Amino acid sequence: EEEGGHTEKLTPTQIALRATGLLAAGAFVCAAFSDPMVEAVSSFSTASGIPAFFIAFVVTPFASNSSELVSSLKFAGAKKTKNLSLTFSQVYGAV
């Protein structure tokens, strides 16, 4: 919603153009950050002696979902039914 209280009605063409622009921007960001990420994983693998495959497919996903892990642990620590349901939905949503 906009500040005036009314919503802007978009045409299908406008929606397609906006979606295409967002996809292009996302692809650009992904391309810009992928090479440094590969270099970081490779360097960490070499320095630690841990195989790059293990780091790429086990450690990196845990690191990227660490915020969900921390908040799930906080909610689970309260031991209330409502918090338990929220924790399960966070864990399920992260998968």
Side-chain angles (χ1 to χ4, degrees), residues 38-88:
V38 169
E39 280 295 318
V41 168
S42 178
S43 297
F44 183 73
S45 170
T46 303
S48 65
I50 301 171
F53 178 84
F54 181 79
I55 292 173
F57 288 98
V58 176
V59 176
T60 305
F62 278 120
S64 67
N65 289 330
S66 62
S67 64
E68 286 91 359
L69 176 66
V70 170
S71 65
S72 295
L73 289 174
K74 284 183 181 179
F75 283 125
K79 295 183 181 177
K80 293 183 180 174
T81 305
K82 182 178 179 182
N83 290 349
L84 183 63
S85 175
L86 183 58
T87 301
F88 281 136

Side-chain angles (χ1 to χ4, degrees), residues 12-31:
T13 304
Q14 290 173 321
I15 293 171
L17 287 173
R18 182 177 284 178
T20 303
L22 289 173
L23 283 170
F28 175 76
V29 168
C30 185

